[in-house]
Structures are given as structure tokens and as C-alpha cells.
Amino acid sequence: MATSPDLSDLMTFLPCPTPDGWIQAALADQATLLIDHANCEKKAAATAMGLLHKHTDNPTLMNKMSRLAREELRHFEQVLSLMCKRGIAYETVTASRYAGGLHGLVRKRDPGRLIDTLLLGALIEARSCERFAALAPHLDSELSEFYLSLLKSEARHFKDYLALAESLADRAEIAERLGAFKVLEQQLIEGADEEMRFHSGIPAVA
Ligand SMILES: [Fe+2]
Ligand SMILES: [Fe+2]
């Protein structure tokens, strides 16, 4: 059994806990949960690769993003393997409004764009980690152990993104931007959603 890392920083960082309604909906449709989880790991790797390509003037960022992309692709392989083992076909699943909605707040020009993208990365990693931890006690032992095994790396990704953002902006700017992201994030997490996705709000009961 994987040991749980200390998630207190990350829990304090998030504007709200995942509502129970989402947990129940995710448990009721674990095939969609896994497919969308696989998509999220791919997107996390692609985001890291994008930053790595674009910011060649920042060796710390490139190193962190390179490592992060490799880890996210490894997670993708692990989800894919579980899906194959469980006979879950990789069907097309539409994206939730979560990431798209939050991306709408990202400023359009650097350095603001980079700072916001890094803060958004921290928020998404923190939420993912919180959801793995929230689901784990309710899952079968194989999936539960897998989700607990992801906590450590996702918690580190949260810290890496936040530290990179903090290296590029002063406290006031970080606080102002995080405040805006968190208000919307809470609305997206606590609000009603049409369908269950890894980062959706509370899905309507079918
Ligand atoms: Fe991941
Ligand atoms: Fe991650």
C-alpha cells in the first residue's frame, strides 16, 4: 500500500473540497472516469511540453517541465494499461468546461501569460491530487492503490508550478491572479454540470 504524502498545503490552497455529488457520480461511471483521466494525463504532458518549447530562456522551467512531461506520460501509460486490463475501450470523451473556462482568464501576453499558465497548472495539479485522494477510499484495491501512488507526484507538480510562478512575479501579483482563478475554479467545481468528467462540477443525475 502506498503511503499518503502530506497534502495539507495543497488542501489549503484549493478554494473548496470536491463535493460528494461528484464523488458519487464518478464512482458510478468508472469507465468514463478512467478515459477522461487518461486524457488529462496526456494534456498535462502536452502543456508541459508546450512550456518547455517556448521558454528556452528559463533552464529551471525547462528542467521541471521535461521531468513533469515524462511523469505525466508514464501516468498515461499506467491508466491505459488499467483500461486494457478492465476491457474499457478508449472512446472519445468530450472535454469538460473546467480547463477551457479557466484558460479564458489567462492573460494574452507574456510575462503575464506565462505567470497565469503556471498558476493554472498549480491549480489543476492540486485539484487532480485532491480528487485522487477523495476517490481512493471508495475504489477497489487495485485502482485505490494506483490513485494513492499518484498523490506524491501530483503534489510535487503542484509545488513546482507554484514555485515557478512565484519566481516570476511579486506576491501582490500572485495573490491577485490566484484570487481570480480560485473564484472561477470554485464555481466550476461546485456548480452543476451536464456530464461527469475528471474535473467536472456536480453532474445532473441521469
Ligand atoms: Fe499525472
Ligand atoms: Fe501532474
Side-chain angles (χ1 to χ4, degrees):
M1 172 73 82
T3 53
S4 294
D6 178 8
L7 303 180
S8 53
D9 284 359
L10 179 154
M11 296 298 191
T12 309
F13 177 83
L14 287 169
C16 62
T18 286
D20 191 55
W22 180 86
I23 295 172
Q24 297 311 320
L27 293 173
D29 188 0
Q30 292 184 30
T32 302
L33 177 76
L34 283 170
I35 294 168
D36 200 44
H37 177 184
N39 286 340
C40 289
E41 299 289 2
K42 273 194 294 191
K43 285 178 201 164
T47 298
M49 287 295 291
L51 289 168
L52 165 63
H53 276 295
K54 204 166 174 192
H55 299 283
T56 49
D57 58 339
N58 190 330
T60 305
L61 180 148
M62 284 192 289
N63 183 265
K64 295 280 187 201
M65 290 302 109
S66 175
R67 295 166 73 95
L68 194 145
R70 283 190 286 138
E71 282 191 318
E72 304 295 22
L73 285 176
R74 176 72 188 125
H75 296 165
F76 170 73
E77 291 161 26
Q78 289 175 293
V79 184
L80 197 58
S81 160
L82 263 174
M83 285 169 57
C84 290
K85 198 171 165 188
R86 293 174 181 223
I88 299 169
Y90 203 140
E91 289 167 8
T92 303
V93 162
T94 54
S96 70
R97 60 202 181 118
Y98 180 84
L102 289 167
H103 271 294
L105 293 183
V106 172
R107 287 172 284 180
K108 304 295 179 231
R109 288 173 190 272
D110 286 328
R113 176 169 50 189
L114 173 57
I115 293 159
D116 286 0
T117 303
L118 294 169
L119 290 174
L120 184 49
L123 196 52
I124 294 173
E125 295 286 348
R127 180 59 67 190
S128 304
C129 196
E130 187 255 356
R131 290 205 155 173
F132 291 136
L135 285 168
H138 308 288
L139 297 165
D140 63 81
S141 60
E142 181 183 49
L143 197 48
S144 176
E145 284 211 26
F146 173 49
Y147 275 15
L148 289 174
S149 77
L150 295 177
L151 298 183
K152 203 172 164 186
S153 49
E154 304 304 359
R156 179 163 29 78
H157 297 167
F158 152 67
K159 285 187 177 170
D160 283 347
Y161 270 123
L162 190 57
L164 284 167
E166 287 171 344
S167 73
L168 297 171
D170 63 28
R171 280 185 181 208
E173 184 176 357
I174 295 286
E176 188 272 316
R177 298 310 298 156
L178 270 182
F181 280 119
K182 286 185 187 183
V183 166
L184 180 58
E185 209 257 358
Q186 183 164 3
Q187 288 170 6
L188 292 165
I189 289 297
E190 292 186 334
D193 230 326
E194 286 184 10
E195 291 172 305
M196 193 283 296
R197 296 289 183 266
F198 193 84
H199 291 110
S200 66
I202 303 168
V205 179

